[in-house]
Amino acid sequence: MSYNADKVDVIVIGAGHAGCEAALATARMGLKTIVFAVNLDSIAMMPCNPSIGGTSKGHLVREIDALGGEMGKNIDKTFIQSKMLNKSKGPAVHSLRAQADKDKYSKTMKKVLENQENLKIKQNEIVDFIVEDDQIKGVKTETDAVYYSDAVILATGTYLRAKCIVGEVETNSGPNGLKAANKLTDALVNLDIDMRRFKTGTPCRIDGNTIDYSKVEIQNGDDEIVPFSFENSEEDIAREQIPCWLTYTNKDTHQIINDNLHRSPLYGGVIEGVGPRYCPSIEDKVVRFSDKDRHQIFLEPEGEDTSEIYVQGMSSSLPEDVQIEFLRTVPGLENCEVMRVGYAIEYDCINPLELKPTLELKKVKGLFSAGQFNGSSGYEEAAAQGLVAGINAALSLKGEEQVVIDRSEGYIGVLIDDLITKGTNEPYRMMTSRAEYRLILRQDNAEFRLIELGHKAGLITDERYNRFLNDKETIEKEIERLTNTYVGTKENVQELLRREGSTELKSGIKLLELVKRPELDYFKIEEIDEERPELSKYVKEQVNIIIKYEGYIKKQVEQAEQFKKMENKLIPKEINYDDIKSLRLEAKQKLNDIKPYSIGQASRISGVSPADVSVLLIYLEQFNRNNNNKNTEN
């Protein structure tokens, strides 16, 4: 028999990376919040790779930090190695990646949640919703308790009807052998929510004491440690780093895999869920890239206090004996001992076309969702959505306008827009190539783009916000100084130019113009810049990037402004696309299904052509004119 347990403002279901950010956001915005987990040991757990960031994902973490989220701060406290990826390329694709101490990452985040005002943590499985007139009113637990709330955030990760698969063996469990959540899917189906079945996987973990390190290549971290959080400096987080190692598969590895494909649940039809295209299993890589003689394998420590090594690049659901056999063909792993076998995991998730741009479900007011439940993959994608869902759930309850980050404002905007506009038939992974405006969506300028939103929401302190404003003003003043400061043809100037392979001067020139030269930059001209003020490293880097890429940035800003014009052409909710005779049938069906909020979003829907967009623009103009005339008459 059910009993009434509590009444709170917000309930968060799941305490993975999405659930943690969502719960912290609503609690920090002053709302009484409960976060539920099937097991409290799963809070911020890393069931797959022991790292945060990476290509494009590092951008997401920086944006999370700029909005006032916790992921960047937490990895700064618990990393064991740090690297800036793509340093040989332009700043638009620089991405920070850090190896994490998995146990410390989880426990440190759990402690943050435990000490957060307005937040309670409970271990229980949520099995049903309480909904009245399409409005969420609360949830029911497995222990028959009822918790009332006007906002619920779904962040169930890979737990819904989860099934782990190793060869011919199937186990009804969540990741790392934790309990699955088997009843909530039925509750969602009863609400007429369109569900999907996806799959992901993880490699085995091996005992680091059984690796022959003489046969593998050491991979050290960067000498310069760059923090994820803008609130930290290199000095704040400096530490001795732990190395990773690199090795490769070979023809023997591939032969064993090919010989055992008939035992693979992936190729034998046992796995029903759709897996991630951009993170394939080793058996999938061997089949799809049969022309390659080898694949990279990174050996990544799972933490300082364990000998477990994560075998990055060898995700597999082949039987345990096959995994052991092909592992031992890899140089350095000939005598390795497997501590945890790799597995595939199937789980239920939502069709993200069910969502508004705010991550609220279209069919149930007050019900939000985030993370892998929305069809994405990755800790960073999950955390980003969790933060946005948390902010919007809180703003909704406060009666304030909710936040929509568009594609020109952040990778978070690209991620959410792709999911809710295009949907996904496989676990969605963020990539820099998905961002049209990546030169202005750099990881280094995330605060410039998003800190205003975080401060307005109450997640960024006045102290941090004022520090940012001071930095911004300092950057602007320094660029102005460089614009108005000239150097002449003195010997020290000419000597610098000769040394750097740059053309010598025949007359005076602005320092700004010297910085723009391809072979020079703001740092190289410091010795001839006699009036340069004392500036922080962050300010110097921003000055250099803004000047060096001024023309490209200006062009992309102009493109983004054109994009915003289309985003600002809002489509009234009451429009019935069946009434627009000139629209093609496919466009009508897609537009009625997705119900885009703007002409911009409509233009990105698969099946809506440029001609359909033109028809929409004309119809919208007539619709608005007719409404204005009616209002004038009234």
Side-chain angles (χ1 to χ4, degrees), residues 414-460:
V414 175
L415 162 66
I416 293 174
D417 184 67
D418 277 352
L419 287 171
I420 68 159
T421 302
K422 302 173 183 177
T424 183
N425 293 319
E426 61 190 34
Y428 176 98
R429 177 179 178 175
M430 192 69 240
M431 294 183 290
T432 52
S433 60
R434 297 189 192 272
E436 305 94 320
Y437 309 107
R438 52 186 172 273
L439 188 54
I440 58 174
L441 301 184
R442 306 184 310 275
Q443 63 167 13
D444 62 84
N445 72 350
E447 277 195 319
F448 283 82
R449 297 181 278 112
L450 297 172
I451 199 170
E452 188 80 38
L453 283 176
H455 182 249
K456 186 178 179 181
L459 296 177
I460 297 291

Side-chain angles (χ1 to χ4, degrees), residues 45 73 117 127 177 198 249 258 407 422 455 508 595:
M45 184 176 70
K73 298 182 183 68
E117 186 181 0
V127 298
F198 277 1
T249 63
N258 280 317
R407 301 181 73 90
K422 302 173 183 177
H455 182 249
K595 295 181 174 58

Side-chain angles (χ1 to χ4, degrees), residues 607-622:
V608 176
S609 69
D612 295 320
V613 173
S614 297
V615 170
L616 261 181
L617 281 167
I618 295 169
Y619 183 86
L620 189 59
E621 186 177 338
Q622 294 171 340

Side-chain angles (χ1 to χ4, degrees), residues 32 58 61 102 113 157 167 179 209 245 255 258 264 352 371 408 417-419 424 438 456 470 532 535 587 602 629:
K32 299 294 182 185
V61 183
K102 295 176 76 165
L113 266 66
K179 176 184 175 184
N209 297 317
W245 296 270
Q255 187 63 53
N258 280 317
S264 167
S408 69
D417 184 67
D418 277 352
L419 287 171
T424 183
R438 52 186 172 273
K456 186 178 179 181
N470 288 334
R532 178 170 296 190
L535 300 172
N629 290 336

Side-chain angles (χ1 to χ4, degrees), residues 219-275:
Q219 303 285 299
N220 290 311
D222 291 342
D223 293 332
E224 176 189 351
I225 297 176
V226 179
F228 270 104
S229 176
F230 290 96
E231 294 195 57
N232 291 326
S233 67
E234 181 177 2
E235 294 74 25
D236 295 330
I237 66 170
R239 59 150 296 157
E240 185 178 346
Q241 300 183 62
I242 294 174
C244 298
W245 296 270
L246 172 65
T247 185
Y248 297 88
T249 63
N250 52 53
K251 291 182 179 179
D252 291 338
T253 318
H254 300 179
Q255 187 63 53
I256 290 169
I257 291 169
N258 280 317
D259 288 347
N260 286 278
L261 284 178
H262 64 284
R263 299 181 65 193
S264 167
L266 185 64
Y267 287 92
V270 175
I271 292 177
E272 300 171 7
V274 182

Side-chain angles (χ1 to χ4, degrees), residues 66 255 305 310 323 348 364 366 391 438 478 493 503 509 531 543 562 571:
Q255 187 63 53
D305 302 320
Y310 180 86
Q323 291 189 40
D348 292 339
V364 184
I391 290 172
R438 52 186 172 273
E478 179 61 359
V493 175
T503 305
I509 191 173
E531 298 177 5
V543 168
Q562 291 298 315
I571 301 176

Side-chain angles (χ1 to χ4, degrees), residues 49-113:
N49 55 303
S51 67
I52 294 292
T55 303
S56 77
K57 292 170 180 280
H59 291 68
L60 290 173
V61 183
R62 281 291 186 85
E63 291 180 359
I64 289 165
D65 186 74
L67 286 168
E70 194 66 25
M71 178 173 267
K73 298 182 183 68
N74 204 58
I75 186 59
D76 281 351
K77 296 174 190 173
T78 58
F79 77 97
I80 58 176
Q81 188 189 100
S82 175
K83 272 191 174 183
M84 185 68 74
L85 306 183
N86 302 322
K87 285 193 294 186
S88 62
K89 301 177 182 178
V93 293
H94 290 179
S95 286
L96 188 59
R97 183 180 190 267
Q99 294 296 135
D101 186 308
K102 295 176 76 165
D103 186 54
K104 288 180 181 176
Y105 186 94
S106 176
K107 287 180 177 177
T108 303
M109 186 69 86
K110 184 171 182 279
K111 187 175 181 180
V112 171
L113 266 66

Side-chain angles (χ1 to χ4, degrees), residues 374-392:
N374 285 351
S376 64
S377 69
Y379 309 144
E380 302 83 2
E381 290 91 336
Q385 293 173 69
L387 181 57
V388 171
I391 290 172
N392 282 330

